[in-house]
């Protein structure tokens, strides 16, 4: 099939490349000429394991093309995926849909035969209705249909998540489009993905409800971890015990720092704004946001306690600063609030991240980046394992840290408390 992905950010690029790999002809469009030039040379704008190889392979075999010409790419394709960003609005926490509507206007000028237009970006309920209105101002409804097909990819696992999704959700009442899209996704359905056809509005809401529910699950286990710390119980036993109940499920029950990234913080706020419009109070999600906002403060308090409230001039090392492992994404990472707060108290921060130096910290005095793990930890009083990269899972702390009284605070629980006890390391985890 001939596909066009508008927007070569996370969603557009990963989905476009994966669709090409399944044998489709895909044009990835972006208005950013520089980005397109780089992509044509095989330079990938985001860090995602496996993506570069797949781009190179499919660009070489010509199933994947890059372009800045939206109109030409739309007219050459049968299915158009809108994959542009829907960032949070500055004034009211709702999703900013300017890019979506601009693209819809441009598409409306480029249609001359039937097109399936799909929103893959995360868009609030009724956005599909608006897109339909915009396009129908210029074109007959016989020439297009607007479908919602939310994506559920995780950064760092995006290619695997694309190939082996739990479900494919297609929001349309149009039988022909449903048939065509089922066919497009048939290689994934045959590998076990469930195919769900709903109304367009339901598909739009499934995405927000899913992300909000996952954020709730994490926040729930984080609060239970707070309780575990007080009564000497290991949170992992609780996560396993709860997760064995199939109604609950074991995934996304890992306690840790505040959740972050480009999706959960944004989408939990946006769904509340949508519900407010319809005078519905999503009180559970509201308290999830509040609890998560509070989580970094809580971890900071714990750090101050670990240091006996003597933070001034303490050398603190952060291992990993992104919002999670296997990504270079800093958006809403808890390190962004924790590091400046520690500096304010007079700490000296040193960090190492497998994805390199971060511009977010370059203006901060007393924050330095180390090129490798051992240099980063060498002179530390306190080491904080902030993300769960494999690189951090077998560090020889005893050998490499000079200060023999150093403290290890493992906010991802990647080490075993018993092993650390054996090694006589002052070790603290989350909910243990
Ligand atoms: C999330 C969803 O998982 C995807 O399904 C969705 O497609 C995506 O948002 C999106 O809307 O685009 P992502 O933000 O890439 O994906 O990352 P997650 O792996 O979901 O992690 C989000 C946050 O939750 C991270 O801060 C992570 O450390 C935290 N987390 C996750 C936990 O603290 N505990 C867990 O058990 C799982």
């Amino acid at each position: 099939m001939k596909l066009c992905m508008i927007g070569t950010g996370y969603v557009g690029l990963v989905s476009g490349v994966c669709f090409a790999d399944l044998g489709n002809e895909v044009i990835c469009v972006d208005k950013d000429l520089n980005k397109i030039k780089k992509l044509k040379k095989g330079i990938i704008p985001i860090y995602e394991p496996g993506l570069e190889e797949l781009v190179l392979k499919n660009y070489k075999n010509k199933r994947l093309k890059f372009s800045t010409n939206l109109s030409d790419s739309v007219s050459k394709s049968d299915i158009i995926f809108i994959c542009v960003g829907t960032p949070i609005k500055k004034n009211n926490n709702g999703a900013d849909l300017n890019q979506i509507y601009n693209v819809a206007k441009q598409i409306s000028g480029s249609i001359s035969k039937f097109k399936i237009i799909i929103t893959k970006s995360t868009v609030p309920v009724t956005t599909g209705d608006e897109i339909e209105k915009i396009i129908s101002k210029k074109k007959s409804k016989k020439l297009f249909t607007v479908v919602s097909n939310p994506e559920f990819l995780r950064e760092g696992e995006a290619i695997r998540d694309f190939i082996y999704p739990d479900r494919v959700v297609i929001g349309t009442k149009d039988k022909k489009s449903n048939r065509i899209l089922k066919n497009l996704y048939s290689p994934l359905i045959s590998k076990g993905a469930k195919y769900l056809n709903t109304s367009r509005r339901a598909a739009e809401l499934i995405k927000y409800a899913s992300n909000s529910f996952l954020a709730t699950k994490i926040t729930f286990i984080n609060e239970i971890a707070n309780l575990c710390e007080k009564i000497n119980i290991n949170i992992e036993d609780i996560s396993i015990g709860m997760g064995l109940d199939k109604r609950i499920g074991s995934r996304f029950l890992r306690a840790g720092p505040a959740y972050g990234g480009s999706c959960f913080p944004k989408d939990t706020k946006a769904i509340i704004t949508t519900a407010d419009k319809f005078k519905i109070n999503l009180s559970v999600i509201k308290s999830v946001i509040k609890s998560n906002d509070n989580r970094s403060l809580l971890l900071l308090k714990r750090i101050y306690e670990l240091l006996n409230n003597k933070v001034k001039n303490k050398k603190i090392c952060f291992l990993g600063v992104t919002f999670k492992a296997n990504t270079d994404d800093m958006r809403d990472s808890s390190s962004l609030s924790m590091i400046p707060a520690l500096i304010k108290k007079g700490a000296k921060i040193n960090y190492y991240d497998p994805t390199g130096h971060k511009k977010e910290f370059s203006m901060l005095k007393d924050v330095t980046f180390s090129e490798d793990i051992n240099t980063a930890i060498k002179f530390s009083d306190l080491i904080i394992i902030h993300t769960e990269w494999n690189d951090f899972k077998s560090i020889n702390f005893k050998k490499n840290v000079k200060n023999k009284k150093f403290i290890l605070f493992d906010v991802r629980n990647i080490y075993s408390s018993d092993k650390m006890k054996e090694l006589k390391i002052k070790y603290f985890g989350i909910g243990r």
Side-chain angles (χ1 to χ4, degrees):
M1 282 183 226
K2 292 187 174 167
L3 317 180
C4 167
M5 319 300 292
I6 302 178
T8 55
Y10 220 89
V11 177
L13 186 58
V14 171
S15 313
V17 174
C18 290
F19 275 131
D21 207 53
L22 291 175
N24 300 287
E25 285 177 42
V26 181
I27 312 176
C28 286
V29 182
D30 205 290
K31 61 180 182 190
D32 183 339
L33 177 64
N34 201 20
K35 202 184 209 181
I36 291 296
K37 269 188 188 163
K38 283 187 174 163
L39 280 164
K40 284 181 177 172
K41 286 185 198 152
I43 304 167
I44 314 296
I46 50 175
Y47 177 91
E48 180 62 37
L51 186 60
E52 188 177 326
E53 294 87 316
L54 224 53
V55 168
L56 290 173
K57 175 184 157 197
N58 287 285
Y59 187 64
K60 233 177 172 178
N61 67 26
K62 296 198 168 53
R63 283 206 294 261
L64 180 66
K65 293 197 172 104
F66 296 105
S67 170
T68 49
N69 190 334
L70 185 144
S71 167
D72 178 58
S73 308
V74 167
S75 64
K76 284 178 180 155
S77 310
D78 304 314
I79 305 177
I80 323 295
F81 286 92
I82 303 178
C83 308
V84 293
T86 53
I88 204 103
K89 268 191 205 158
K90 285 205 175 80
N91 48 356
N92 78 349
N93 280 341
D96 180 347
L97 298 172
N98 274 326
Q99 295 185 64
I100 297 273
Y101 295 148
N102 273 336
V103 165
K105 276 182 207 148
Q106 290 179 65
I107 293 175
S108 69
S110 322
I111 303 177
S112 52
K113 66 179 183 57
F114 184 76
K115 310 278 176 198
I116 300 178
I117 298 158
I118 301 180
T119 47
K120 231 187 196 322
S121 311
T122 300
V123 291
V125 179
T126 69
T127 303
D129 305 0
E130 284 303 314
I131 295 173
E132 195 175 283
K133 263 191 221 156
I134 291 171
I135 302 179
S136 56
K137 276 186 193 153
K138 277 203 175 168
K139 294 285 146 79
S140 152
K141 281 192 182 167
K142 283 187 192 143
L143 273 183
F144 74 96
T145 183
V146 178
V147 176
S148 166
N149 169 217
E151 61 80 26
F152 303 103
L153 311 175
R154 285 165 302 162
E155 290 187 20
E157 316 276 344
I159 291 170
R160 199 205 147 274
D161 282 352
F162 184 93
I163 303 169
Y164 302 103
D166 289 339
R167 78 294 209 194
V168 172
V169 177
I170 298 293
T172 180
K173 286 188 182 141
D174 177 47
K175 287 198 177 113
K176 183 179 159 198
S177 307
N178 184 34
R179 210 178 46 244
I180 294 172
L181 293 173
K182 197 167 184 182
N183 192 24
L184 174 69
Y185 279 106
S186 60
L188 312 185
I189 298 166
S190 65
K191 280 190 192 148
K194 295 266 188 300
Y195 184 85
L196 178 67
N197 177 214
T198 64
S199 68
R200 188 167 62 205
R201 288 183 174 189
E204 289 169 340
L205 189 55
I206 284 170
K207 169 70 191 210
Y208 280 98
S210 300
N211 272 2
S212 302
F213 188 78
L214 291 170
T216 305
K217 217 174 164 188
I218 296 165
T219 307
F220 180 89
I221 205 69
N222 282 344
E223 289 199 351
I224 299 293
N226 295 342
L227 179 61
C228 286
E229 276 162 26
K230 295 284 176 212
I231 45 187
N232 217 2
I233 293 174
N234 188 343
I235 186 66
E236 268 125 80
D237 290 341
I238 308 301
S239 297
I240 294 168
M242 284 175 65
L244 285 171
D245 184 331
K246 287 201 178 79
R247 293 170 302 176
I248 298 173
S250 60
R251 297 173 73 191
F252 279 67
L253 277 182
R254 265 183 298 110
Y259 63 73
S262 63
C263 306
F264 290 173
K266 164 175 84 76
D267 295 348
T268 43
K269 285 178 194 142
I271 195 174
I272 285 172
T273 306
T274 302
D276 283 349
K277 250 196 239 166
F278 295 96
K279 302 206 166 23
I280 294 297
N281 181 17
L282 296 180
S283 63
V284 173
I285 305 177
K286 281 181 187 164
S287 50
V288 164
I289 295 173
K290 207 165 154 202
S291 173
N292 194 60
D293 285 347
N294 210 24
R295 183 124 190 103
S296 295
L297 294 176
L298 217 94
L299 291 194
L300 279 167
K301 214 173 133 220
R302 184 109 190 269
I303 292 170
Y304 303 153
E305 279 164 18
L306 294 179
L307 293 170
N308 288 324
N309 284 316
K310 289 179 187 129
V311 184
K312 198 160 192 268
N313 291 326
K314 284 285 179 322
K315 297 187 184 84
I316 303 178
C317 167
F318 270 70
L319 290 179
V321 287
T322 53
F323 82 97
K324 64 169 188 177
N326 301 320
T327 179
D328 60 354
D329 200 336
M330 287 295 290
R331 283 176 286 180
D332 270 306
S333 171
S334 53
S335 69
L336 290 172
S337 57
M338 290 171 75
I339 290 181
L342 289 164
I343 285 184
K344 229 174 169 181
K345 290 256 178 196
K348 311 276 182 222
I349 308 284
N350 188 18
Y351 73 95
Y352 168 78
D353 192 283
T355 59
H357 172 264
K358 301 293 163 211
K359 64 176 187 321
E360 286 80 357
F361 300 127
S362 36
M363 299 306 281
L364 293 181
K365 219 179 116 216
D366 293 331
V367 180
T368 49
F369 171 71
S370 293
E371 295 287 343
D372 62 82
I373 298 172
N374 288 339
T375 315
I377 62 176
K378 196 168 181 179
F379 298 108
S380 307
D381 300 306
L382 168 69
I383 299 163
I384 299 171
I385 301 179
H386 179 263
T387 51
E388 67 282 26
W389 286 86
N390 281 341
D391 312 45
F392 304 150
K393 290 183 179 163
S394 31
I395 300 173
N396 190 336
F397 292 102
K398 281 236 115 155
K399 184 174 156 214
N400 291 302
V401 186
K402 293 273 178 235
N403 171 4
K404 295 302 165 206
K405 287 188 183 151
F406 76 93
I407 300 166
L408 183 57
F409 187 26
D410 177 6
V411 304
R412 298 286 183 171
N413 287 348
I414 64 178
Y415 284 95
S416 125
S417 309
D418 290 343
K419 183 111 187 273
M420 289 293 139
K421 214 172 184 181
E422 264 171 41
L423 290 168
K424 297 196 170 60
I425 289 177
K426 273 198 204 163
Y427 173 85
F428 301 88
I430 293 284
R432 289 165 156 182

Short mmCIF file of all heavy atoms in Angstrom, two decimals, residues 6 70-71 74 80-82 100-112 115 117-118 131 135 138-139 144:
data_model
loop_
_atom_site.label_atom_id
_atom_site.label_comp_id
_atom_site.label_asym_id
_atom_site.label_seq_id
_atom_site.Cartn_x
_atom_site.Cartn_y
_atom_site.Cartn_z
N ILE A 6 2.80 12.16 7.90
CA ILE A 6 3.10 13.60 8.01
C ILE A 6 3.60 13.90 9.42
O ILE A 6 2.88 13.73 10.40
CB ILE A 6 1.85 14.43 7.68
CG1 ILE A 6 1.37 14.06 6.27
CG2 ILE A 6 2.17 15.92 7.78
CD1 ILE A 6 0.13 14.77 5.82
N LEU A 70 4.49 18.21 1.14
CA LEU A 70 3.29 17.54 1.68
C LEU A 70 2.29 17.25 0.58
O LEU A 70 1.78 16.14 0.45
CB LEU A 70 2.68 18.42 2.77
CG LEU A 70 1.49 17.84 3.54
CD1 LEU A 70 1.53 18.26 5.00
CD2 LEU A 70 0.16 18.25 2.94
N SER A 71 2.03 18.26 -0.23
CA SER A 71 0.99 18.14 -1.24
C SER A 71 1.31 17.00 -2.23
O SER A 71 0.46 16.14 -2.51
CB SER A 71 0.91 19.49 -1.93
OG SER A 71 0.19 19.37 -3.07
N VAL A 74 1.01 13.58 -0.43
CA VAL A 74 -0.39 13.20 -0.20
C VAL A 74 -1.00 12.70 -1.50
O VAL A 74 -1.67 11.66 -1.53
CB VAL A 74 -1.19 14.39 0.38
CG1 VAL A 74 -2.70 14.14 0.33
CG2 VAL A 74 -0.77 14.68 1.83
N ILE A 80 -3.12 8.44 4.51
CA ILE A 80 -2.32 9.54 5.06
C ILE A 80 -2.38 9.48 6.59
O ILE A 80 -3.47 9.55 7.16
CB ILE A 80 -2.91 10.93 4.64
CG1 ILE A 80 -3.46 10.93 3.21
CG2 ILE A 80 -1.94 12.07 4.92
CD1 ILE A 80 -2.46 10.71 2.15
N PHE A 81 -1.24 9.35 7.22
CA PHE A 81 -1.20 9.33 8.69
C PHE A 81 -0.75 10.71 9.18
O PHE A 81 0.33 11.18 8.79
CB PHE A 81 -0.18 8.30 9.19
CG PHE A 81 -0.65 6.88 9.06
CD1 PHE A 81 -0.35 6.14 7.93
CD2 PHE A 81 -1.37 6.27 10.08
CE1 PHE A 81 -0.76 4.82 7.80
CE2 PHE A 81 -1.79 4.95 9.96
CZ PHE A 81 -1.49 4.22 8.83
N ILE A 82 -1.54 11.33 10.02
CA ILE A 82 -1.12 12.60 10.62
C ILE A 82 -0.39 12.26 11.93
O ILE A 82 -0.97 11.66 12.83
CB ILE A 82 -2.33 13.53 10.92
CG1 ILE A 82 -3.13 13.80 9.64
CG2 ILE A 82 -1.87 14.83 11.56
CD1 ILE A 82 -4.36 14.67 9.83
N ILE A 100 -2.04 20.01 13.99
CA ILE A 100 -2.99 19.04 13.41
C ILE A 100 -3.89 19.76 12.40
O ILE A 100 -4.05 19.32 11.26
CB ILE A 100 -3.87 18.42 14.53
CG1 ILE A 100 -3.03 17.63 15.52
CG2 ILE A 100 -5.03 17.62 13.95
CD1 ILE A 100 -2.78 16.19 15.18
N TYR A 101 -4.45 20.91 12.82
CA TYR A 101 -5.41 21.60 11.95
C TYR A 101 -4.71 22.22 10.74
O TYR A 101 -5.28 22.27 9.65
CB TYR A 101 -6.20 22.65 12.75
CG TYR A 101 -7.08 22.01 13.82
CD1 TYR A 101 -7.35 22.64 15.02
CD2 TYR A 101 -7.64 20.75 13.61
CE1 TYR A 101 -8.16 22.05 16.00
CE2 TYR A 101 -8.44 20.14 14.58
CZ TYR A 101 -8.69 20.80 15.77
OH TYR A 101 -9.48 20.19 16.71
N ASN A 102 -3.46 22.67 10.92
CA ASN A 102 -2.71 23.20 9.77
C ASN A 102 -2.50 22.12 8.73
O ASN A 102 -2.68 22.35 7.53
CB ASN A 102 -1.32 23.69 10.21
CG ASN A 102 -1.39 25.11 10.67
OD1 ASN A 102 -2.30 25.84 10.25
ND2 ASN A 102 -0.47 25.53 11.51
N VAL A 103 -2.12 20.93 9.21
CA VAL A 103 -1.90 19.81 8.30
C VAL A 103 -3.21 19.45 7.59
O VAL A 103 -3.25 19.22 6.37
CB VAL A 103 -1.33 18.59 9.07
CG1 VAL A 103 -1.43 17.32 8.25
CG2 VAL A 103 0.12 18.85 9.45
N ALA A 104 -4.32 19.45 8.35
CA ALA A 104 -5.63 19.12 7.74
C ALA A 104 -5.94 20.09 6.61
O ALA A 104 -6.39 19.68 5.53
CB ALA A 104 -6.72 19.16 8.81
N LYS A 105 -5.66 21.38 6.83
CA LYS A 105 -5.91 22.39 5.78
C LYS A 105 -5.05 22.09 4.55
O LYS A 105 -5.53 22.15 3.43
CB LYS A 105 -5.56 23.79 6.31
CG LYS A 105 -6.71 24.40 7.09
CD LYS A 105 -6.35 25.79 7.57
CE LYS A 105 -7.16 26.09 8.84
NZ LYS A 105 -6.48 26.95 9.78
N GLN A 106 -3.78 21.76 4.81
CA GLN A 106 -2.89 21.49 3.67
C GLN A 106 -3.34 20.24 2.91
O GLN A 106 -3.32 20.21 1.69
CB GLN A 106 -1.45 21.29 4.16
CG GLN A 106 -0.82 22.58 4.66
CD GLN A 106 0.60 22.30 5.14
OE1 GLN A 106 1.46 21.94 4.36
NE2 GLN A 106 0.82 22.47 6.43
N ILE A 107 -3.78 19.23 3.66
CA ILE A 107 -4.25 17.99 3.01
C ILE A 107 -5.45 18.32 2.13
O ILE A 107 -5.56 17.84 0.99
CB ILE A 107 -4.62 16.91 4.06
CG1 ILE A 107 -3.38 16.42 4.82
CG2 ILE A 107 -5.32 15.73 3.38
CD1 ILE A 107 -3.69 15.46 5.96
N SER A 108 -6.34 19.16 2.64
CA SER A 108 -7.58 19.45 1.91
C SER A 108 -7.29 20.05 0.53
O SER A 108 -8.06 19.87 -0.40
CB SER A 108 -8.50 20.37 2.71
OG SER A 108 -7.91 21.65 2.79
N GLY A 109 -6.14 20.70 0.40
CA GLY A 109 -5.77 21.27 -0.89
C GLY A 109 -5.12 20.27 -1.83
O GLY A 109 -4.84 20.58 -2.99
N SER A 110 -4.86 19.06 -1.34
CA SER A 110 -4.06 18.13 -2.15
C SER A 110 -4.80 16.85 -2.53
O SER A 110 -4.19 15.91 -3.02
CB SER A 110 -2.79 17.72 -1.38
OG SER A 110 -2.27 18.80 -0.67
N ILE A 111 -6.10 16.80 -2.25
CA ILE A 111 -6.83 15.54 -2.52
C ILE A 111 -7.55 15.63 -3.87
O ILE A 111 -8.28 16.58 -4.12
CB ILE A 111 -7.91 15.30 -1.44
CG1 ILE A 111 -7.28 15.26 -0.05
CG2 ILE A 111 -8.67 14.03 -1.71
CD1 ILE A 111 -8.30 15.09 1.06
N SER A 112 -7.32 14.63 -4.70
CA SER A 112 -8.12 14.59 -5.93
C SER A 112 -8.76 13.21 -6.12
O SER A 112 -9.65 13.04 -6.93
CB SER A 112 -7.28 14.97 -7.14
OG SER A 112 -6.12 14.18 -7.15
N LYS A 115 -8.96 9.26 -0.26
CA LYS A 115 -7.86 9.08 0.70
C LYS A 115 -8.43 8.69 2.08
O LYS A 115 -9.46 9.24 2.49
CB LYS A 115 -7.08 10.38 0.93
CG LYS A 115 -6.63 11.10 -0.31
CD LYS A 115 -5.34 10.51 -0.88
CE LYS A 115 -4.99 11.20 -2.18
NZ LYS A 115 -4.05 10.47 -2.99
N ILE A 117 -7.64 9.31 5.77
CA ILE A 117 -6.80 10.23 6.57
C ILE A 117 -6.89 9.79 8.03
O ILE A 117 -7.97 9.68 8.59
CB ILE A 117 -7.29 11.68 6.39
CG1 ILE A 117 -7.13 12.05 4.90
CG2 ILE A 117 -6.51 12.64 7.27
CD1 ILE A 117 -8.00 13.18 4.48
N ILE A 118 -5.73 9.51 8.58
CA ILE A 118 -5.71 8.89 9.91
C ILE A 118 -4.97 9.77 10.91
O ILE A 118 -3.88 10.27 10.62
CB ILE A 118 -4.97 7.53 9.83
CG1 ILE A 118 -5.69 6.62 8.83
CG2 ILE A 118 -4.85 6.88 11.20
CD1 ILE A 118 -5.07 5.26 8.67
N ILE A 131 -11.32 17.73 12.07
CA ILE A 131 -10.52 17.53 10.85
C ILE A 131 -11.47 17.32 9.66
O ILE A 131 -11.29 17.88 8.58
CB ILE A 131 -9.56 16.32 11.02
CG1 ILE A 131 -8.53 16.63 12.12
CG2 ILE A 131 -8.87 15.98 9.71
CD1 ILE A 131 -7.64 15.45 12.47
N ILE A 135 -11.62 19.65 6.25
CA ILE A 135 -11.37 19.15 4.89
C ILE A 135 -12.64 19.28 4.03
O ILE A 135 -12.57 19.60 2.84
CB ILE A 135 -10.84 17.71 4.92
CG1 ILE A 135 -9.54 17.66 5.75
CG2 ILE A 135 -10.56 17.19 3.50
CD1 ILE A 135 -8.91 16.31 5.90
N LYS A 138 -13.38 22.18 1.71
CA LYS A 138 -12.80 22.27 0.36
C LYS A 138 -13.13 21.07 -0.52
O LYS A 138 -13.12 21.17 -1.73
CB LYS A 138 -11.26 22.36 0.48
CG LYS A 138 -10.75 23.75 0.74
CD LYS A 138 -9.32 23.85 0.28
CE LYS A 138 -8.78 25.25 0.40
NZ LYS A 138 -7.34 25.28 0.24
N LYS A 139 -13.34 19.91 0.13
CA LYS A 139 -13.50 18.69 -0.67
C LYS A 139 -14.77 17.94 -0.29
O LYS A 139 -15.19 17.96 0.88
CB LYS A 139 -12.29 17.76 -0.47
CG LYS A 139 -10.98 18.33 -1.02
CD LYS A 139 -10.89 18.28 -2.53
CE LYS A 139 -10.15 19.43 -3.15
NZ LYS A 139 -8.73 19.39 -3.11
N PHE A 144 -12.85 11.51 0.87
CA PHE A 144 -11.98 11.19 2.01
C PHE A 144 -12.78 10.65 3.20
O PHE A 144 -14.00 10.81 3.27
CB PHE A 144 -11.21 12.46 2.45
CG PHE A 144 -12.07 13.45 3.17
CD1 PHE A 144 -12.12 13.48 4.57
CD2 PHE A 144 -12.86 14.36 2.47
CE1 PHE A 144 -12.92 14.40 5.23
CE2 PHE A 144 -13.66 15.27 3.13
CZ PHE A 144 -13.69 15.29 4.51
#
